[in-house]
Amino acid sequence: MTRYRRPMELREVPEPTAGDGEVLIRVRAAGLNPVDYKTRDGAMRLVMHYDLPVVMGNELAGVVEGVGAGVTRFAVGDRVFARVDHRKMGAFAPYAAVHESLVGKMPESLDFAEAAGLPLAGLTALQGLRDELGVTAGDRVFITGGAGGVGTLAIQLAVWLGAAVATTASPRGETLVRSLGAETVIDYQKQRFKDVLHDYDGAFDLVGGQDLKDSFDILKRGANVVSVAGIPEPTTARVDLGLGPLLTAGFWAISAPIRQRARRRGVGYRFLIMHPSGTDLDLLAGLVDGGQLKPVTDRVFPFQQIADAFAYLEQGRAKGKIVVQL
Ligand SMILES: NC(=O)c1ccc[n+]([C@@H]2O[C@H](COP(=O)([O-])OP(=O)(O)OC[C@H]3O[C@@H](n4cnc5c(N)ncnc54)[C@H](OP(=O)(O)O)[C@@H]3O)[C@@H](O)[C@H]2O)c1
């Protein structure tokens, strides 16, 4: 891993302007995600190139303060939220300019801090379960790591899609994941889930490592594992990242063992990198306001304490989301 020389610091930045098709958002709160510390640590450098210095931060909630030419969906004063363009970032700042296609109207029933933690994890869960796993009513779905930022939303979205959900959690997260709709909860510190579960219709892996490998063993033949924490594969490179043949070949090589393992079990394997989408955010907002989806916020930090927020997130014990408030 190649690290950046001066990875992260607080400093004054110029206010951005809204370009064509962009809205200028006064940021009121921003969500933290593991990708933030992975980016800071240089773990994403192979696939993500930034012109340094760059304003970090991948999701936000705030108020529209200005609109660029051609903007049709938003007006000054709208309360909005967004997973910003991952090639640009920019959520950890007082203002962000974001293309309107990536922005959604904030759920009316949420405050800014609650809404700021929804875009990245919510879109990940929605796209993983609905688009990649194709979860339908009556499916039995297994989700690793149900108590975290993505897991707390994934459980609820799988239930909304009509699935019965099994998940892993420690005793610290068990009550929470049950309250969100998980029917079967396995304490991963005491038991291997592959000793208990079998014939599942799909698995959504948020943990990676041995959990990803074990998830192949609990599925029906022909079912799929979608991971967001395991090993990227050629579709990740081509479709999600738009990389060329050389890097795609590299992803093919590093994922060969895990794809072979899946093949031997008769199941499919896909590593997904979520994509920003204002349309999907509107869907999530509708579910929140309709009472079918409830964001879970673990802690809210003042923006000045963002380093503490990073340290807390990096412990990997968060129940739901970590947010900074501006
Ligand atoms: N590819 C993508 O587009 C994408 C998008 C979003 C996230 N991700 C990745 O998905 C992963 C999860 O993200 P997140 O935001 O949900 O992380 P997170 O909020 O930091 O997850 C922390 C939670 O995971 C639980 N946990 C830790 N180890 C576990 C294990 N072995 N089994 C079950 N639960 C465990 C912890 O609870 P206990 O300590 O109580 O067990 C804690 O509640 C990260 O690797 C992230 O980078 C990828």
Side-chain angles (χ1 to χ4, degrees):
M1 183 165 75
T2 331
R3 289 177 170 271
Y4 296 108
R5 227 173 325 138
R6 289 166 63 196
M8 199 172 78
E9 62 187 35
L10 275 182
R11 63 155 86 161
E12 295 290 327
V13 290
E15 190 180 312
T17 49
D20 289 356
E22 288 184 336
V23 290
L24 180 68
I25 301 168
R26 170 85 173 98
V27 181
R28 298 291 303 275
L32 269 67
N33 293 277
V35 70
D36 296 317
Y37 61 76
K38 292 177 187 177
T39 301
R40 178 204 62 194
D41 291 346
M44 315 299 287
R45 281 183 88 160
L46 188 63
V47 293
M48 221 62 86
H49 302 283
Y50 297 108
D51 292 332
L52 300 177
V54 65
V55 178
M56 295 179 66
N58 284 287
E59 61 180 349
L60 56 81
V63 180
V64 174
E65 284 235 338
V67 295
V71 168
T72 54
R73 294 179 56 226
F74 299 99
V76 170
D78 284 349
R79 285 157 42 103
V80 294
F81 66 153
R83 190 279 184 247
V84 303
D85 185 343
H86 60 260
R87 290 162 304 188
K88 251 177 79 183
M89 301 193 290
F92 296 153
Y95 292 92
V98 187
H99 196 274
E100 69 165 340
S101 63
L102 313 186
V103 179
K105 288 244 172 74
M106 233 178 82
E108 285 174 14
S109 50
L110 296 186
D111 62 27
F112 290 110
E114 291 170 310
L118 189 54
L120 196 150
L123 294 175
T124 304
L126 181 67
Q127 292 163 7
L129 294 163
R130 179 197 63 186
D131 304 341
E132 299 297 333
L133 277 179
V135 173
T136 51
D139 282 354
R140 296 196 310 154
V141 173
F142 174 59
I143 299 169
T144 57
V150 180
T152 48
L153 297 166
I155 291 168
Q156 299 177 75
L157 288 171
V159 170
W160 169 68
L161 289 165
V165 176
T167 193
T168 49
S170 74
R172 294 182 296 273
E174 179 175 354
T175 309
L176 172 64
V177 296
R178 282 198 192 282
S179 75
L180 301 174
E183 282 179 21
T184 308
V185 182
I186 291 151
D187 178 354
Y188 71 90
Q189 294 170 334
K190 288 218 185 85
Q191 203 170 25
R192 281 181 86 169
F193 63 80
K194 76 170 195 170
D195 296 335
V196 190
L197 307 177
H198 51 84
D199 289 330
Y200 269 69
D201 297 293
F204 189 37
D205 168 50
L206 314 177
V207 171
Q210 189 60 45
D211 276 23
L212 167 60
K213 293 177 187 160
D214 287 352
S215 64
F216 297 140
D217 297 342
I218 66 154
L219 298 188
K220 291 175 179 166
R221 288 187 82 78
N224 289 302
V225 174
V226 173
S227 177
V228 294
I231 297 157
E233 35 81 31
T235 311
T236 322
R238 234 185 15 254
V239 177
D240 299 342
L241 294 169
L243 300 176
L246 198 65
L247 280 170
T248 302
F251 280 41
W252 182 89
I254 58 165
S255 62
I258 199 82
R259 287 185 292 107
Q260 192 181 35
R261 193 179 182 112
R263 239 185 350 262
R264 277 204 303 266
R265 300 281 178 222
V267 302
Y269 173 63
R270 164 90 161 96
F271 181 93
L272 170 73
I273 294 184
M274 56 76 61
H275 57 269
S277 161
T279 313
D280 280 348
L281 285 179
D282 287 342
L283 188 151
L284 292 175
L287 293 179
V288 171
D289 285 336
Q292 289 141 308
L293 184 65
K294 185 173 158 312
V296 178
T297 309
D298 180 313
R299 278 184 72 177
V300 181
F301 291 78
F303 184 65
Q304 283 66 24
Q305 290 172 20
I306 193 166
D308 297 333
F310 265 69
Y312 183 67
L313 177 76
E314 282 180 84
Q315 291 169 13
R317 304 275 83 91
K319 302 288 164 283
K321 294 285 307 191
I322 316 290
V323 171
V324 288
Q325 212 158 20
L326 279 89

